[in-house]
Amino acid sequence: KLRDVGLITTRHGKGSYVSENIQNLSMQFVAPIMTMSKKDFMEIMEFRESIEMKCMELIVHRADDQDIAVIEKALQDMIANKDNYTKYSKADYAFHYAIVKASKNSLFIKFMEDIKDLYYYHLEELNRVFGGIEESLEGHKKQFEAIKNRDVEAIKRLIREAIDINITRAMEQLRQQGQ
């Protein structure tokens, strides 16, 4: 699927790489959720789930104290900006980016840097359209505690819960819009 949407380029005999023209992806994958099709929204959520789950698994074994401190700083910024969805979304992105960096997987890090604007826009739309920042914040706090405790099973459960909540909200929104 990643190759189908232009995120990954496969070179026969050489492997798969993050596409060089990733910034030029079709805007259909980052359009406001209110205008996204059910299929497009689900594909973005599936993509996030797979990347976030793997990065969380990796940081349990690879993250050092400095990595944990950067994740905590992003969480503190989220708390400080919970009344402003734009600033909250920037801190939300910083939280997810810090997790990717703590995975110490250079491909994931490069990919996250390459799609920063797209990923941020997706988070901002989730926060703008669905609100629920308090609930989001509680989920992020629990994720952070699980990261500190290096509890991979709790991390997986918390990510799955957050994704399920977002999917439920989006499907209800799309149903109300007649999609």
Side-chain angles (χ1 to χ4, degrees), residues 16-52:
S16 297
Y17 304 88
V18 174
S19 294
E20 290 180 21
N21 62 349
I22 204 161
Q23 294 291 344
N24 299 325
L25 286 176
S26 170
M27 288 306 290
Q28 71 175 345
F29 293 102
V30 293
I33 290 169
M34 304 259 298
T35 62
M36 290 177 74
S37 71
K38 180 178 179 179
K39 179 182 178 288
D40 289 344
F41 178 80
M42 290 304 296
E43 287 181 353
I44 289 171
M45 293 307 296
E46 289 166 358
F47 172 76
R48 283 190 58 201
E49 178 180 16
S50 63
I51 295 297
E52 290 177 16

Side-chain angles (χ1 to χ4, degrees), residues 24-159:
N24 299 325
L25 286 176
S26 170
M27 288 306 290
Q28 71 175 345
F29 293 102
V30 293
I33 290 169
M34 304 259 298
T35 62
M36 290 177 74
S37 71
K38 180 178 179 179
K39 179 182 178 288
D40 289 344
F41 178 80
M42 290 304 296
E43 287 181 353
I44 289 171
M45 293 307 296
E46 289 166 358
F47 172 76
R48 283 190 58 201
E49 178 180 16
S50 63
I51 295 297
E52 290 177 16
M53 285 282 199
K54 188 60 183 177
C55 285
M56 289 289 206
E57 288 176 21
L58 293 173
I59 68 173
V60 165
H61 304 289
R62 297 179 180 174
D64 57 31
D65 290 343
Q66 183 178 357
D67 296 320
I68 301 298
V70 172
I71 296 167
E72 185 172 27
K73 167 73 167 87
L75 179 61
Q76 293 305 317
D77 289 346
M78 291 171 73
I79 292 167
N81 292 295
K82 66 183 179 179
D83 296 324
N84 180 321
Y85 83 87
T86 302
K87 290 179 180 179
Y88 179 86
S89 298
K90 287 179 182 172
D92 193 357
Y93 173 81
F95 181 88
H96 291 276
Y97 179 67
I99 288 168
V100 171
K101 283 197 74 161
S103 78
K104 299 189 180 5
N105 179 302
S106 61
L107 182 62
F108 289 156
I109 294 166
K110 178 172 178 8
F111 182 78
M112 194 71 159
E113 290 167 352
D114 288 347
I115 65 160
K116 177 182 180 180
D117 294 339
L118 306 177
Y119 199 96
Y120 167 74
Y121 188 75
H122 173 72
L123 291 173
E124 186 177 51
E125 285 302 293
L126 282 173
N127 293 322
R128 181 187 67 81
V129 173
F130 302 125
I133 287 179
E134 288 292 335
E135 187 176 4
S136 168
L137 196 50
E138 288 307 309
H140 284 84
K141 288 177 184 177
K142 290 176 184 176
Q143 287 178 21
F144 177 70
E145 287 303 314
I147 290 167
K148 276 194 344 186
N149 295 329
R150 303 195 186 269
D151 185 345
V152 73
E153 292 307 314
I155 293 168
K156 286 180 180 180
R157 179 181 46 78
L158 291 164
I159 291 172

